[in-house]
Structures are given as structure tokens and as C-alpha cells.
Amino acid sequence: MSGPDEFDPFIERLYARAPQMADADLFAAGVARRLERGSRFRGVFLGAAGLIGGVVAVRETLATNFVFRAGEAAEGSARAVDTSLTSVGVQGQQAMMNGLDQLGLGSFIDLGALGGMTLFWGLAAALVAAATLGALKLTGQT
Amino acid sequence: MAKRPIDMHDVELAALAAAGGRAEFGELVRRHGSAVRALLRRMGAQPSLADDVAQDAFLTAFQKVGEFRGQGTFGAWVKRIAARLYLRRRSKEARYVAELEGEPEPSGGVQAGELVDLDEALQALSEVERLCVSLCHGAGFSHPEIAQSLDLPLGTVKSHVKRGLDKLRARLAPVVDQHGRPADVRA
């Protein structure tokens, strides 16, 4: 009988010599189907995310126009809303500038130069991008 | 004229699959699917579970195929992925600790000249021996890797592998010549 030195590679060869299974093509088709399903799911998810983002953007734009028109009709209340928005915006900008300063980027990016709406849309875009990236990573793992 | 996937080497196919080539990856699945499924069955997985895990392994391989640099064979790389996925599946089910200790029913000895294949011979091993031998010689795991994966002491793993190989040697004796070469063995 052979010694362990000869027997080990022999066993490894036996493991490597697995015969082609009768349903090998069926198995390969199953893997291809699952790959296809994964990419379709990703496509649907991205499409849905884009659609939702678009609807939200249109809704926000219409609401903004409405506030402007309402402001013409009732300047007092619009001014109140605007003041509170500005105050929130200023606070947000200050917090963000503090954060950027800590990262040493404060001198490069001046958020004060951006308008409130620009800042809002910028943040919203960043959040949507982060959520989309996270979801893509998750779908990639399934 | 462009080469067809069927004419390409695994490394070429993997490179094209990394760039999103489904057809090329499909060829890799056709080439190595049976070997991966067979390994999982030899590790003790039921055929349906083995196929399920093998599919998962190929999906994982597709996502990570860019990491395959051609060191070792593509088949060995996917087998390692499949073995890890199977072990994870088993540990989730928390079945094997209780089951591993069970010895198989003793089966009849092999008569001289009888054709024996590896799958038959593996039936003589206990589940943990089969798992350790298959991980070591089928999936290319080192003993420490097996010990870590199965949460067993290294010495225990070594003795499981040795005992398993001794049993395989005894079962395969009629078909192995004095140099350890197969006389007439089906894989």
C-alpha cells in the first residue's frame, strides 16, 4: 500500500476529478437566471429611486412657487416662513462650516456664499446619493 | 476573429467576467459547476442544498471575480468560496456540533477488484472526518483554517483528517497500487 506522501496527492486528484453532472447546463442556466434577476432588481430599484426623486423634486419646486405666490398675497406670513427657513439655514450652515473647519476645508468651501435653496438641494442630492450607494451595495451582496 | 468563450483559458474568462461579461462567466460556471457541487456533496451537503450553495458561491464569485488574479486555479478559488458558504450555512443552522460526533453505519468491506469511487469510499467516514478531509484535500484549506472554520482544536482537526485518510486508504486499497496510483477508480 502507498505511504501518506503518495496517498495525499492521489486523494487530491480524486477530488479534482469530479465528473460532469448530467444537469450541468441546467445548473449553469440557474446561475445565469439569478445573475439576470439580480441585475434586473438593481435596475428596477435605481429606476424607482430616480422616479421618486423626480416626483419629490417636482413637488418641492411647485411648493416653492406656491410659497412665492402666497408671499405676494400675504407678505407677512411668507416673511415669517422665510425668516424661519433662513434661521434654520444659517444654523445649518454654521454647523457645517464648523465641521468643515475641523476637517481643514473651511477655507476652501464657503457655504455662506450658497443660497438656502441651493444648500437644501445640495444636501438632498447628497442624501439621495448616499442612500442609493448603500442600497446598491446591499443589492450587490444578495 | 474573436475567440469564443469555450476556447478561452479560465484566466481570460475571469478577466472578461470582471468587466461584466456574462457569457464568459457562464462558461466558467459550465466548466466548474459540477466540481463545486460534487465537493459540497462530498462535504456532506444534501444534493439540493449543495446546488443552492454552489449557486450562491458562483454569484459571490461573479461579484468578486475582479479579485481573482490567476494565482491558483479558478476552480480551486470557487471551491474555497463554496466551502466557506457551506460552513457558514451549517453554523447558522447550528446542526453540526450535535451531528458531527455520529459515526456512520458500518458498511460491508470492499472485495478485491471491486470498483470503488471516492463518493462511495467517503461513506465510511464520520461526518466530521468527511468534512475535514474534504476541506483539506478538496477545497485546499490548511489545518489551521479548518480548525478556525469549524471551531475545533487544531490537534482534533489533524486527527480527524488522519483517521479519515486511513479509512479512505483502507476502502480504496483494492484499487490503489503499491505506488499510490489508482488502478481503476472512478472519481
Side-chain angles (χ1 to χ4, degrees), chain A residues 1-36 39 42 139-142, chain B residues 22 25 29-31 33-35 37-39 41-42 51-52 54-56 58-59 62-63 79 118 122 133-134 137-138 165 168-169 172-173 176-180 182 185 187:
Chain A
M1 186 65 221
S2 60
D5 291 348
E6 295 162 326
F7 191 69
D8 284 12
F10 166 59
I11 286 293
E12 277 166 22
R13 279 198 303 278
L14 282 187
Y15 268 105
R17 273 173 35 189
Q20 190 76 351
M21 293 187 184
D23 59 347
D25 285 340
L26 207 64
F27 175 80
V31 174
R33 206 166 34 245
R34 283 184 63 183
L35 275 176
E36 183 61 33
S39 88
R42 219 170 297 175
T139 55
Q141 283 168 356
T142 54
Chain B
R22 294 274 175 84
F25 190 75
V29 176
R30 263 185 297 280
R31 282 185 196 176
S34 295
R37 294 160 74 196
L39 172 66
R41 291 181 192 193
R42 285 166 175 170
D51 288 3
D52 199 26
Q55 282 201 354
D56 287 348
F58 278 107
L59 293 180
F62 184 71
Q63 287 160 12
K79 281 179 185 174
L118 179 61
L122 283 168
V133 170
S134 296
H137 293 284
L165 285 177
L168 285 180
R169 187 179 288 119
L172 294 169
V176 179
D177 67 17
Q178 71 267 28
H179 303 296
V185 177

Side-chain angles (χ1 to χ4, degrees), chain A residues 28-114:
Chain A
V31 174
R33 206 166 34 245
R34 283 184 63 183
L35 275 176
E36 183 61 33
R37 205 187 311 152
S39 88
R40 205 180 312 140
F41 176 73
R42 219 170 297 175
V44 167
F45 180 83
L46 279 177
L51 188 68
I52 292 169
V55 168
V56 170
V58 168
R59 205 180 63 112
E60 288 298 321
T61 308
L62 290 176
T64 307
N65 282 341
F66 174 75
V67 168
F68 286 154
R69 284 185 192 148
E72 287 164 14
E75 212 166 301
S77 60
R79 200 176 300 131
V81 171
D82 193 38
T83 308
S84 60
L85 271 177
T86 306
S87 129
V88 169
V90 167
Q91 283 171 8
Q93 280 177 11
Q94 277 173 349
M96 202 167 280
M97 283 309 292
N98 287 340
L100 287 171
D101 281 339
Q102 282 177 359
L103 293 171
L105 296 170
S107 55
F108 297 105
I109 304 168
D110 183 11
L111 292 177
L114 300 175

Side-chain angles (χ1 to χ4, degrees), chain B residues 40-121:
Chain B
L40 292 166
R41 291 181 192 193
R42 285 166 175 170
M43 286 171 70
Q46 293 300 309
S48 60
L49 176 62
D51 288 3
D52 199 26
V53 174
Q55 282 201 354
D56 287 348
F58 278 107
L59 293 180
T60 305
F62 184 71
Q63 287 160 12
K64 294 184 172 176
V65 70
E67 296 171 19
F68 174 67
R69 301 267 179 254
Q71 297 115 334
T73 64
F74 180 83
W77 184 65
V78 182
K79 281 179 185 174
R80 284 178 70 87
I81 293 175
R84 286 192 193 287
L85 287 178
Y86 175 60
L87 293 176
R88 205 176 302 157
R89 187 82 72 98
R90 286 184 63 119
S91 67
K92 266 186 196 162
E93 290 171 7
R95 279 191 321 123
Y96 70 92
V97 175
E99 285 183 6
L100 287 178
E101 302 309 318
E103 286 287 325
E105 290 291 315
S107 55
V110 179
Q111 301 301 310
E114 190 178 337
L115 196 65
V116 176
D117 67 18
L118 179 61
D119 298 307
E120 256 178 53

Side-chain angles (χ1 to χ4, degrees), chain B residues 116-138:
Chain B
V116 176
D117 67 18
L118 179 61
D119 298 307
E120 256 178 53
L122 283 168
Q123 299 303 314
L125 278 61
S126 72
E127 195 169 347
V128 68
E129 288 164 356
R130 193 162 64 226
L131 197 52
C132 290
V133 170
S134 296
L135 283 169
C136 183
H137 293 284

